[in-house]
Coordinates of all heavy atoms in Angstrom, one line a residue:
M8 N 0.8 -1.2 0.0 CA 0.0 0.0 0.0 C 0.9 1.2 0.0 O 2.0 1.2 0.4 CB -0.9 0.0 1.2 CG -2.0 -1.0 1.2 SD -3.0 -0.8 2.6 CE -4.3 -1.9 2.2
A9 N 0.3 2.3 -0.4 CA 1.1 3.6 -0.6 C 0.7 4.6 0.5 O -0.2 4.4 1.3 CB 0.8 4.1 -2.0
D10 N 1.5 5.6 0.5 CA 1.3 6.8 1.3 C 0.9 7.9 0.4 O 1.7 8.3 -0.5 CB 2.6 7.1 2.1 CG 2.5 8.2 3.0 OD1 1.3 8.8 3.1 OD2 3.5 8.5 3.6
I11 N -0.4 8.4 0.4 CA -0.9 9.3 -0.6 C -1.3 10.6 0.1 O -2.0 10.6 1.1 CB -2.1 8.8 -1.4 CG1 -1.7 7.5 -2.0 CG2 -2.6 9.8 -2.4 CD1 -2.8 6.7 -2.7
L12 N -0.9 11.8 -0.5 CA -1.2 13.1 0.0 C -2.3 13.7 -0.9 O -2.1 13.7 -2.1 CB 0.0 14.0 0.0 CG -0.2 15.4 0.6 CD1 -0.4 15.4 2.1 CD2 0.9 16.3 0.2
F13 N -3.4 14.2 -0.3 CA -4.5 14.8 -1.0 C -4.5 16.3 -0.6 O -4.6 16.6 0.6 CB -5.8 14.1 -0.7 CG -5.9 12.7 -1.1 CD1 -5.7 11.7 -0.2 CD2 -6.2 12.3 -2.4 CE1 -5.8 10.4 -0.5 CE2 -6.3 11.0 -2.7 CZ -6.1 10.0 -1.8
A14 N -4.3 17.1 -1.6 CA -4.3 18.6 -1.3 C -5.5 19.3 -2.0 O -5.6 20.5 -1.9 CB -3.0 19.2 -1.6
D15 N -6.2 18.6 -2.9 CA -7.3 19.2 -3.6 C -8.5 19.4 -2.7 O -8.9 18.5 -2.0 CB -7.6 18.2 -4.8 CG -8.9 18.7 -5.5 OD1 -8.7 19.8 -6.2 OD2 -9.9 18.0 -5.5
R16 N -9.0 20.6 -2.7 CA -10.1 21.0 -1.8 C -11.3 20.0 -1.9 O -11.9 19.6 -0.9 CB -10.6 22.4 -2.1 CG -11.8 22.8 -1.4 CD -11.7 23.0 0.1 NE -10.5 23.6 0.6 CZ -9.9 23.3 1.8 NH1 -10.4 22.4 2.5 NH2 -8.7 23.8 2.1
E17 N -11.7 19.6 -3.1 CA -12.9 18.7 -3.3 C -12.6 17.4 -2.7 O -13.4 16.8 -2.1 CB -13.2 18.6 -4.8 CG -13.9 19.8 -5.3 CD -14.3 19.7 -6.8 OE1 -14.6 18.5 -7.2 OE2 -14.3 20.7 -7.5
K18 N -11.4 16.9 -2.9 CA -11.0 15.6 -2.4 C -10.8 15.6 -0.9 O -11.3 14.6 -0.2 CB -9.6 15.1 -3.0 CG -9.3 13.7 -2.7 CD -10.3 12.7 -3.2 CE -10.2 12.4 -4.6 NZ -11.0 11.3 -5.1
I19 N -10.4 16.7 -0.3 CA -10.3 16.8 1.2 C -11.7 16.7 1.8 O -12.0 16.0 2.7 CB -9.6 18.1 1.5 CG1 -8.1 18.0 1.2 CG2 -9.8 18.4 3.0 CD1 -7.4 19.4 1.3
N20 N -12.6 17.5 1.2 CA -14.0 17.5 1.7 C -14.6 16.1 1.5 O -15.4 15.6 2.4 CB -14.8 18.6 1.0 CG -14.4 20.0 1.5 OD1 -13.9 20.2 2.6 ND2 -14.7 21.0 0.6
E21 N -14.4 15.5 0.4 CA -14.9 14.2 0.1 C -14.4 13.2 1.2 O -15.3 12.4 1.7 CB -14.5 13.7 -1.3 CG -14.9 12.3 -1.6 CD -14.4 11.9 -3.0 OE1 -14.4 12.7 -3.9 OE2 -13.9 10.8 -3.1
I22 N -13.2 13.2 1.5 CA -12.6 12.2 2.5 C -13.2 12.5 3.8 O -13.6 11.6 4.5 CB -11.1 12.3 2.5 CG1 -10.5 11.8 1.2 CG2 -10.5 11.5 3.7 CD1 -9.0 12.1 1.0
I23 N -13.2 13.8 4.3 CA -13.8 14.1 5.6 C -15.3 13.7 5.7 O -15.7 13.2 6.7 CB -13.5 15.5 5.9 CG1 -12.0 15.8 6.1 CG2 -14.2 15.9 7.2 CD1 -11.6 17.2 6.2
N24 N -16.0 13.9 4.6 CA -17.4 13.7 4.6 C -17.8 12.2 4.6 O -18.9 11.9 4.7 CB -18.1 14.5 3.5 CG -18.2 16.0 3.9 OD1 -18.5 16.3 5.0 ND2 -17.9 16.8 2.9
T25 N -16.8 11.4 4.4 CA -17.1 9.9 4.4 C -17.5 9.4 5.8 O -18.1 8.4 6.0 CB -15.9 9.1 3.9 OG1 -14.8 9.2 4.8 CG2 -15.6 9.4 2.5
S26 N -17.1 10.2 6.8 CA -17.4 9.8 8.2 C -17.9 11.0 9.0 O -17.2 12.0 9.2 CB -16.1 9.3 8.9 OG -16.3 9.3 10.3
G27 N -19.1 10.9 9.5 CA -19.7 11.9 10.3 C -18.9 12.1 11.6 O -18.7 13.1 12.1
R28 N -18.3 10.9 12.1 CA -17.6 11.0 13.4 C -16.3 11.8 13.2 O -16.0 12.6 14.0 CB -17.3 9.6 13.8 CG -16.4 9.5 15.1 CD -17.3 9.9 16.3 NE -16.4 9.8 17.5 CZ -16.4 10.8 18.4 NH1 -17.1 11.9 18.3 NH2 -15.6 10.6 19.5
L29 N -15.6 11.5 12.1 CA -14.4 12.2 11.8 C -14.7 13.7 11.6 O -14.0 14.6 12.2 CB -13.7 11.7 10.6 CG -12.4 12.4 10.2 CD1 -11.3 12.3 11.2 CD2 -11.9 11.8 8.9
K30 N -15.7 14.0 10.9 CA -16.0 15.4 10.6 C -16.4 16.2 11.9 O -16.0 17.3 12.2 CB -17.2 15.5 9.6 CG -17.6 16.9 9.2 CD -18.7 16.9 8.2 CE -19.0 18.3 7.8 NZ -20.0 18.3 6.7
Y31 N -17.1 15.5 12.8 CA -17.5 16.0 14.1 C -16.3 16.3 14.9 O -16.2 17.4 15.5 CB -18.4 15.1 14.8 CG -18.8 15.6 16.2 CD1 -19.7 16.6 16.4 CD2 -18.1 15.1 17.3 CE1 -20.0 17.1 17.7 CE2 -18.3 15.6 18.6 CZ -19.3 16.6 18.8 OH -19.6 17.1 20.0
L32 N -15.3 15.4 15.0 CA -14.1 15.6 15.7 C -13.3 16.8 15.3 O -12.9 17.7 16.0 CB -13.2 14.4 15.7 CG -13.6 13.3 16.6 CD1 -12.8 12.0 16.3 CD2 -13.4 13.6 18.1
I33 N -13.2 16.9 13.9 CA -12.4 18.0 13.3 C -13.1 19.4 13.7 O -12.4 20.3 14.1 CB -12.2 17.8 11.8 CG1 -11.3 16.6 11.6 CG2 -11.6 19.1 11.2 CD1 -11.4 16.2 10.1
T34 N -14.4 19.4 13.4 CA -15.0 20.7 13.5 C -15.5 21.1 14.9 O -15.4 22.3 15.3 CB -16.3 20.8 12.5 OG1 -17.2 19.7 12.9 CG2 -15.9 20.6 11.1
A35 N -16.0 20.2 15.7 CA -16.5 20.5 17.0 C -15.4 20.3 18.1 O -15.2 21.1 18.9 CB -17.7 19.6 17.3
T36 N -14.8 19.1 18.1 CA -13.9 18.8 19.2 C -12.6 19.6 19.1 O -12.1 20.2 20.0 CB -13.5 17.3 19.2 OG1 -14.8 16.6 19.4 CG2 -12.6 17.0 20.4
Y37 N -12.0 19.6 17.9 CA -10.7 20.4 17.6 C -11.0 21.8 17.2 O -10.0 22.6 17.0 CB -9.9 19.6 16.7 CG -9.4 18.3 17.2 CD1 -9.9 17.1 16.6 CD2 -8.5 18.2 18.2 CE1 -9.5 15.9 17.1 CE2 -8.1 16.9 18.7 CZ -8.6 15.8 18.1 OH -8.2 14.6 18.6
Q38 N -12.2 22.2 16.8 CA -12.6 23.5 16.4 C -11.8 24.0 15.2 O -11.3 25.1 15.2 CB -12.3 24.5 17.6 CG -13.1 24.1 18.9 CD -14.3 24.8 19.1 OE1 -14.5 26.0 18.8 NE2 -15.4 24.1 19.6
I39 N -11.7 23.1 14.2 CA -11.0 23.4 13.0 C -12.1 23.5 11.9 O -12.8 22.5 11.7 CB -9.9 22.4 12.6 CG1 -8.8 22.4 13.7 CG2 -9.4 22.6 11.2 CD1 -7.8 21.3 13.5
S40 N -12.0 24.6 11.1 CA -12.9 24.7 10.0 C -12.5 23.8 8.8 O -11.2 23.7 8.6 CB -13.0 26.2 9.5 OG -13.6 26.3 8.3
L41 N -13.3 23.2 8.1 CA -13.0 22.4 7.0 C -12.2 23.2 6.0 O -11.3 22.7 5.3 CB -14.1 21.7 6.4 CG -14.9 20.7 7.3 CD1 -16.0 20.0 6.5 CD2 -14.0 19.7 7.9
D42 N -12.5 24.5 5.9 CA -11.7 25.3 4.9 C -10.3 25.5 5.3 O -9.4 25.9 4.5 CB -12.4 26.7 4.9 CG -13.8 26.6 4.2 OD1 -14.0 25.7 3.4 OD2 -14.6 27.5 4.5
D43 N -9.9 25.3 6.6 CA -8.6 25.4 7.1 C -7.7 24.1 6.8 O -6.5 24.2 7.0 CB -8.6 25.7 8.6 CG -9.1 27.1 8.9 OD1 -9.1 28.0 8.0 OD2 -9.5 27.3 10.1
V44 N -8.3 23.1 6.5 CA -7.6 21.8 6.2 C -6.9 22.0 4.8 O -7.6 22.3 3.8 CB -8.5 20.6 6.2 CG1 -7.7 19.4 5.8 CG2 -9.2 20.4 7.6
V45 N -5.6 21.9 4.8 CA -4.8 22.1 3.5 C -4.5 20.8 2.9 O -4.2 20.8 1.7 CB -3.6 23.0 3.8 CG1 -4.0 24.4 4.2 CG2 -2.7 22.4 4.8
S46 N -4.4 19.7 3.7 CA -4.1 18.4 3.0 C -4.4 17.3 4.0 O -4.6 17.5 5.2 CB -2.6 18.3 2.7 OG -1.8 18.3 3.9
I47 N -4.6 16.1 3.4 CA -4.8 14.9 4.2 C -3.8 13.8 3.6 O -3.8 13.6 2.4 CB -6.3 14.4 4.0 CG1 -7.2 15.4 4.6 CG2 -6.4 13.0 4.7 CD1 -8.7 15.0 4.5
R48 N -3.1 13.2 4.5 CA -2.1 12.1 4.1 C -2.7 10.9 4.6 O -3.0 10.7 5.8 CB -0.8 12.4 4.7 CG 0.2 11.4 4.2 CD 1.6 11.8 4.7 NE 1.8 11.5 6.1 CZ 2.5 10.5 6.6 NH1 3.1 9.7 5.9 NH2 2.6 10.4 7.9
V49 N -3.0 10.0 3.7 CA -3.5 8.6 4.0 C -2.4 7.6 3.8 O -1.8 7.5 2.8 CB -4.7 8.3 3.0 CG1 -5.2 6.8 3.4 CG2 -5.8 9.3 3.1
D50 N -2.0 7.0 4.9 CA -0.9 6.1 5.0 C -1.4 4.6 5.1 O -1.8 4.2 6.2 CB 0.0 6.4 6.1 CG 1.3 5.6 6.2 OD1 1.4 4.6 5.5 OD2 2.2 6.0 7.0
G51 N -1.3 3.9 4.0 CA -1.8 2.5 4.0 C -0.9 1.5 4.6 O -1.2 0.5 5.0
D52 N 0.4 1.9 4.7 CA 1.4 1.0 5.2 C 1.3 1.0 6.8 O 1.5 -0.1 7.4 CB 2.8 1.4 4.8 CG 3.1 1.1 3.4 OD1 2.4 0.2 2.8 OD2 3.9 1.8 2.8
N53 N 1.1 2.1 7.4 CA 1.1 2.2 8.8 C -0.4 2.4 9.4 O -0.5 2.6 10.6 CB 1.9 3.4 9.3 CG 3.4 3.2 8.9 OD1 4.0 2.2 9.3 ND2 4.0 4.1 8.1
F54 N -1.3 2.4 8.5 CA -2.8 2.5 8.9 C -3.0 3.7 9.7 O -3.3 3.6 10.9 CB -3.2 1.2 9.6 CG -3.2 0.1 8.6 CD1 -2.2 -0.9 8.7 CD2 -4.2 -0.1 7.7 CE1 -2.1 -2.0 7.9 CE2 -4.2 -1.2 6.8 CZ -3.2 -2.1 6.9
K55 N -2.8 4.9 9.1 CA -3.1 6.2 9.8 C -3.4 7.2 8.8 O -3.1 7.1 7.6 CB -1.9 6.6 10.7 CG -0.7 6.9 9.9 CD 0.5 7.3 10.7 CE 1.7 7.6 9.8 NZ 2.9 7.7 10.6
I56 N -4.1 8.3 9.3 CA -4.3 9.4 8.4 C -3.9 10.7 9.2 O -4.0 10.7 10.5 CB -5.8 9.6 7.9 CG1 -6.7 9.9 9.0 CG2 -6.2 8.4 7.1 CD1 -8.1 10.3 8.5
D57 N -3.3 11.6 8.5 CA -2.9 12.9 9.0 C -3.7 14.0 8.3 O -3.8 14.0 7.2 CB -1.4 13.2 8.8 CG -0.5 12.2 9.5 OD1 -1.0 11.6 10.6 OD2 0.6 12.0 9.1
I58 N -4.3 14.8 9.2 CA -5.1 16.0 8.6 C -4.3 17.2 9.0 O -4.1 17.5 10.2 CB -6.5 16.0 9.2 CG1 -7.2 14.7 8.8 CG2 -7.2 17.3 8.8 CD1 -8.5 14.5 9.3
N59 N -3.9 18.0 8.0 CA -3.0 19.1 8.2 C -3.7 20.5 7.9 O -4.4 20.6 6.9 CB -1.8 19.0 7.2 CG -1.0 17.7 7.4 OD1 -0.4 17.5 8.5 ND2 -1.1 16.8 6.5
T60 N -3.4 21.4 8.8 CA -3.7 22.8 8.5 C -2.4 23.6 8.3 O -1.4 22.9 8.4 CB -4.6 23.4 9.7 OG1 -3.7 23.5 10.8 CG2 -5.8 22.6 10.0
D61 N -2.5 24.8 8.2 CA -1.2 25.6 8.1 C -0.5 25.6 9.4 O 0.8 25.7 9.4 CB -1.6 27.1 7.7 CG -1.9 27.2 6.2 OD1 -1.5 26.4 5.4 OD2 -2.6 28.1 5.9
T62 N -1.2 25.4 10.5 CA -0.5 25.5 11.9 C -0.6 24.2 12.7 O 0.1 24.1 13.7 CB -1.1 26.6 12.7 OG1 -2.6 26.4 12.8 CG2 -1.0 28.0 12.0
D63 N -1.3 23.2 12.3 CA -1.5 22.1 13.1 C -1.6 20.8 12.3 O -1.9 20.9 11.1 CB -2.8 22.2 13.9 CG -2.8 21.4 15.2 OD1 -1.8 20.7 15.6 OD2 -3.8 21.4 15.9
M64 N -1.4 19.6 13.0 CA -1.6 18.4 12.3 C -2.3 17.4 13.3 O -2.0 17.4 14.5 CB -0.2 17.7 12.0 CG -0.4 16.5 11.1 SD -0.1 14.9 11.9 CE 1.4 15.0 12.8
L65 N -3.4 16.8 12.8 CA -4.1 15.8 13.6 C -3.8 14.4 13.0 O -3.9 14.2 11.8 CB -5.6 16.1 13.5 CG -6.1 17.4 14.0 CD1 -7.6 17.5 13.7 CD2 -5.9 17.6 15.5
R66 N -3.4 13.5 13.9 CA -3.1 12.2 13.4 C -4.1 11.2 14.1 O -4.4 11.3 15.3 CB -1.7 11.7 13.9 CG -1.4 10.3 13.6 CD 0.0 10.0 13.6 NE 0.7 10.5 12.5 CZ 1.9 10.8 12.3 NH1 2.8 10.5 13.3 NH2 2.5 11.3 11.3
F67 N -4.6 10.3 13.3 CA -5.6 9.3 13.7 C -5.0 7.9 13.3 O -4.9 7.6 12.1 CB -6.9 9.5 13.1 CG -7.6 10.8 13.5 CD1 -7.4 11.9 12.6 CD2 -8.2 11.0 14.7 CE1 -8.0 13.1 13.0 CE2 -8.7 12.2 15.0 CZ -8.7 13.3 14.2
K68 N -4.6 7.1 14.3 CA -3.9 5.9 14.1 C -4.6 4.8 14.9 O -4.5 4.7 16.1 CB -2.5 5.9 14.4 CG -1.8 4.6 14.1 CD -0.3 4.7 14.3 CE 0.5 3.5 14.1 NZ 0.1 2.5 13.1
P69 N -5.5 3.9 14.3 CA -6.1 2.8 15.0 C -5.0 1.8 15.6 O -4.0 1.6 14.9 CB -6.9 2.1 13.9 CG -7.1 3.1 12.9 CD -5.9 3.9 12.9
K70 N -5.3 1.3 16.8 CA -4.4 0.4 17.4 C -5.0 -1.0 17.3 O -4.2 -2.0 17.5 CB -4.1 0.7 18.8 CG -3.2 2.0 19.0 CD -1.9 1.9 18.2 CE -1.0 0.9 18.8 NZ 0.3 0.8 18.0
D71 N -6.3 -1.1 17.3 CA -7.0 -2.4 17.1 C -8.4 -2.0 16.5 O -8.5 -1.1 15.8 CB -7.1 -3.1 18.5 CG -7.6 -2.3 19.6 OD1 -8.5 -1.4 19.4 OD2 -7.2 -2.5 20.8
L72 N -9.4 -2.8 16.8 CA -10.7 -2.5 16.3 C -11.5 -1.6 17.2 O -12.6 -1.2 16.7 CB -11.5 -3.8 16.1 CG -10.8 -4.8 15.1 CD1 -11.6 -6.1 15.0 CD2 -10.7 -4.1 13.7
E73 N -11.0 -1.2 18.3 CA -11.8 -0.3 19.2 C -11.1 0.9 19.7 O -11.7 1.9 20.1 CB -12.3 -1.1 20.4 CG -13.3 -2.2 20.1 CD -13.7 -2.9 21.3 OE1 -13.0 -2.9 22.3 OE2 -14.8 -3.5 21.2
N74 N -9.7 0.9 19.6 CA -8.9 2.0 20.2 C -8.1 2.7 19.1 O -7.7 2.1 18.1 CB -8.0 1.5 21.3 CG -8.8 0.9 22.4 OD1 -9.4 1.6 23.2 ND2 -8.8 -0.4 22.5
I75 N -8.0 4.0 19.3 CA -7.2 4.8 18.3 C -6.3 5.8 19.0 O -6.7 6.3 20.2 CB -8.2 5.6 17.4 CG1 -7.5 6.2 16.2 CG2 -9.1 6.6 18.2 CD1 -8.5 6.6 15.1
I76 N -5.2 6.0 18.4 CA -4.3 7.1 19.0 C -4.6 8.4 18.3 O -4.7 8.5 17.1 CB -2.8 6.8 18.7 CG1 -2.4 5.5 19.5 CG2 -1.9 7.9 19.1 CD1 -1.0 5.0 19.2
M77 N -4.9 9.4 19.1 CA -5.3 10.7 18.6 C -5.0 11.8 19.6 O -4.7 11.5 20.7 CB -6.8 10.7 18.3 CG -7.7 10.4 19.4 SD -9.4 10.2 18.9 CE -10.1 11.8 19.4
K78 N -4.9 13.0 19.2 CA -4.5 14.1 19.9 C -5.6 14.5 21.0 O -6.8 14.6 20.7 CB -4.3 15.4 19.1 CG -3.7 16.5 19.9 CD -3.6 17.8 19.0 CE -2.3 17.7 18.2 NZ -2.0 19.0 17.6
N79 N -5.2 14.6 22.2 CA -6.1 15.1 23.3 C -6.4 16.6 23.0 O -5.4 17.3 23.1 CB -5.5 14.9 24.7 CG -6.3 15.4 25.8 OD1 -6.8 16.5 25.8 ND2 -6.6 14.5 26.8
P80 N -7.6 17.0 22.8 CA -7.8 18.5 22.5 C -7.4 19.4 23.7 O -7.1 20.6 23.4 CB -9.3 18.5 22.2 CG -9.9 17.3 22.7 CD -8.8 16.3 22.8
G81 N -7.4 18.9 24.8 CA -7.1 19.7 26.0 C -5.6 19.9 26.3 O -5.1 21.0 26.5
T82 N -4.9 18.8 26.1 CA -3.4 18.9 26.4 C -2.6 18.9 25.2 O -1.4 19.3 25.3 CB -3.0 17.6 27.2 OG1 -3.2 16.5 26.4 CG2 -3.8 17.5 28.5
G83 N -3.1 18.5 24.0 CA -2.3 18.5 22.8 C -1.5 17.2 22.7 O -0.8 17.0 21.6
S84 N -1.4 16.4 23.7 CA -0.6 15.2 23.6 C -1.4 14.0 22.9 O -2.6 14.0 23.0 CB -0.1 14.7 25.0 OG -1.2 14.5 25.8
L85 N -0.7 13.1 22.4 CA -1.3 11.9 21.8 C -1.8 11.0 22.9 O -1.1 10.8 23.9 CB -0.4 11.2 20.9 CG -0.1 11.9 19.6 CD1 1.0 11.1 18.7 CD2 -1.3 12.2 18.8
Q86 N -3.0 10.4 22.7 CA -3.4 9.4 23.8 C -4.2 8.3 23.1 O -4.7 8.5 22.0 CB -4.3 10.1 24.8 CG -5.7 10.6 24.2 CD -6.5 11.3 25.3 OE1 -6.0 11.9 26.2 NE2 -7.8 11.2 25.1
L87 N -4.3 7.2 23.7 CA -5.1 6.1 23.3 C -6.5 6.3 23.7 O -6.8 6.5 24.9 CB -4.6 4.8 23.8 CG -5.2 3.5 23.3 CD1 -4.9 3.3 21.8 CD2 -4.6 2.3 24.0
T88 N -7.4 6.3 22.8 CA -8.8 6.6 23.1 C -9.8 5.5 22.5 O -9.6 5.0 21.4 CB -9.2 7.9 22.3 OG1 -8.3 8.9 22.8 CG2 -10.6 8.3 22.7
F89 N -10.7 5.1 23.3 CA -11.7 4.2 22.9 C -12.7 4.8 22.0 O -13.5 5.7 22.4 CB -12.5 3.5 24.1 CG -13.5 2.5 23.8 CD1 -13.2 1.3 23.4 CD2 -14.9 2.9 23.8 CE1 -14.2 0.3 23.1 CE2 -15.9 2.0 23.5 CZ -15.5 0.7 23.2
D90 N -12.8 4.5 20.7 CA -13.7 5.1 19.8 C -13.9 4.1 18.6 O -13.3 4.4 17.5 CB -13.2 6.4 19.3 CG -14.2 7.3 18.6 OD1 -15.2 6.7 18.0 OD2 -14.1 8.5 18.7
P91 N -14.6 3.1 18.7 CA -14.8 2.1 17.6 C -15.3 2.7 16.3 O -14.9 2.2 15.2 CB -15.8 1.0 18.2 CG -15.8 1.2 19.7 CD -15.4 2.7 19.9
A92 N -16.2 3.7 16.4 CA -16.7 4.3 15.2 C -15.6 5.0 14.4 O -15.6 4.9 13.2 CB -17.9 5.2 15.6
L93 N -14.8 5.7 15.1 CA -13.7 6.4 14.4 C -12.7 5.4 13.9 O -12.2 5.6 12.7 CB -13.0 7.4 15.3 CG -11.9 8.2 14.8 CD1 -12.4 9.0 13.6 CD2 -11.2 9.1 15.8
V94 N -12.4 4.4 14.6 CA -11.5 3.3 14.1 C -12.0 2.7 12.8 O -11.2 2.7 11.8 CB -11.3 2.2 15.1 CG1 -10.6 1.0 14.5 CG2 -10.6 2.7 16.4
Q95 N -13.3 2.4 12.7 CA -13.8 1.9 11.5 C -13.8 2.9 10.4 O -13.5 2.5 9.2 CB -15.3 1.4 11.8 CG -15.9 0.6 10.6 CD -15.0 -0.6 10.2 OE1 -14.8 -1.4 11.1 NE2 -14.7 -0.7 9.0
A96 N -14.0 4.1 10.7 CA -14.0 5.2 9.7 C -12.6 5.3 9.1 O -12.4 5.5 7.8 CB -14.5 6.5 10.3
I97 N -11.6 5.3 9.9 CA -10.2 5.4 9.4 C -9.8 4.2 8.6 O -9.3 4.4 7.5 CB -9.2 5.6 10.6 CG1 -9.5 6.8 11.5 CG2 -7.8 5.5 10.1 CD1 -9.6 8.1 10.7
Y98 N -10.2 3.0 9.0 CA -9.9 1.8 8.2 C -10.7 1.9 6.8 O -10.1 1.6 5.8 CB -10.4 0.5 8.9 CG -9.4 0.1 9.9 CD1 -9.8 -0.3 11.2 CD2 -8.0 0.1 9.7 CE1 -8.9 -0.8 12.1 CE2 -7.1 -0.3 10.6 CZ -7.5 -0.8 11.9 OH -6.6 -1.2 12.8
N99 N -11.9 2.4 6.8 CA -12.7 2.6 5.6 C -12.0 3.6 4.6 O -11.9 3.4 3.5 CB -14.1 3.0 5.9 CG -14.9 1.9 6.5 OD1 -14.6 0.7 6.4 ND2 -16.1 2.3 7.1
I100 N -11.6 4.7 5.2 CA -10.9 5.8 4.4 C -9.6 5.2 3.8 O -9.3 5.4 2.6 CB -10.6 7.0 5.3 CG1 -11.9 7.7 5.6 CG2 -9.6 7.9 4.5 CD1 -11.7 8.8 6.6
I101 N -8.8 4.4 4.6 CA -7.6 3.8 4.0 C -7.9 2.8 2.9 O -7.3 2.9 1.8 CB -6.8 3.2 5.2 CG1 -6.2 4.2 6.1 CG2 -5.7 2.3 4.6 CD1 -5.7 3.7 7.4
D102 N -8.9 2.0 3.1 CA -9.3 1.0 2.1 C -9.8 1.7 0.8 O -9.5 1.3 -0.3 CB -10.5 0.2 2.6 CG -10.0 -0.9 3.6 OD1 -8.8 -1.2 3.6 OD2 -10.8 -1.5 4.3
E103 N -10.5 2.8 1.0 CA -11.1 3.5 -0.2 C -10.1 4.4 -0.9 O -10.2 4.4 -2.2 CB -12.3 4.4 0.2 CG -13.1 4.9 -0.9 CD -14.4 5.6 -0.5 OE1 -14.9 5.2 0.5 OE2 -14.9 6.3 -1.3
Y104 N -9.2 5.0 -0.3 CA -8.4 6.0 -0.9 C -6.9 5.6 -1.2 O -6.2 6.3 -1.8 CB -8.4 7.3 -0.2 CG -9.8 8.0 -0.2 CD1 -10.7 7.8 0.8 CD2 -10.1 8.7 -1.3 CE1 -12.0 8.3 0.7 CE2 -11.4 9.3 -1.4 CZ -12.3 9.1 -0.4 OH -13.6 9.6 -0.5
V105 N -6.6 4.4 -0.7 CA -5.2 3.9 -0.9 C -5.3 2.7 -1.8 O -5.9 1.7 -1.3 CB -4.4 3.6 0.4 CG1 -3.0 3.1 0.1 CG2 -4.3 4.9 1.2
T106 N -4.8 2.6 -2.9 CA -4.8 1.5 -3.8 C -3.5 1.1 -4.4 O -2.7 1.9 -4.4 CB -5.9 1.7 -5.0 OG1 -5.5 2.8 -5.7 CG2 -7.2 1.8 -4.5

């Protein structure tokens, strides 16, 4: 599998809109406007996605079928979080956009 960077605005919105859970986290939890997202990197080798703005990067890396490593919005540090819906969404994005 490959590591693919998407910087096209339409493709960024398409990827984020594949998961309501991911979109909610970006816009509500992390308070990032979708217009501020400049790229998404989908890494099929390491099973993770990075969502980049001009000033920040959000990484979502599933560890199993229920837990994911993601940034704590309060502290900014990475933490293991129980979120099966997000884990499935990340796996689906990797399956769909990395060929």
Side-chain angles (χ1 to χ4, degrees):
M8 291 186 172
D10 183 1
I11 302 174
L12 181 74
F13 298 97
D15 176 66
R16 172 69 38 214
E17 287 182 32
K18 188 59 80 171
I19 289 169
N20 289 334
E21 177 185 315
I22 291 170
I23 292 172
N24 285 318
T25 63
S26 167
R28 179 69 181 133
L29 179 61
K30 185 175 182 178
Y31 175 82
L32 281 171
I33 294 168
T34 59
T36 303
Y37 296 108
Q38 307 260 322
I39 296 173
S40 166
L41 295 184
D42 293 333
D43 291 338
V44 176
V45 295
S46 67
I47 296 177
R48 187 172 72 107
V49 181
D50 185 346
D52 291 333
N53 297 302
F54 295 100
K55 66 183 176 190
I56 67 168
D57 295 335
I58 297 175
N59 301 293
T60 69
D61 285 332
T62 59
D63 203 8
M64 189 257 309
L65 301 175
R66 173 164 288 162
F67 300 96
K68 181 172 178 37
K70 290 307 289 178
D71 51 35
L72 296 177
E73 296 181 336
N74 297 290
I75 190 160
I76 296 174
M77 57 190 260
K78 184 184 281 190
N79 178 308
T82 65
S84 62
L85 292 177
Q86 70 180 28
L87 188 64
T88 304
F89 178 79
D90 195 333
L93 182 59
V94 169
Q95 188 59 53
I97 299 303
Y98 282 136
N99 289 344
I100 290 169
I101 292 167
D102 284 343
E103 187 169 340
Y104 291 98
V105 178
T106 55

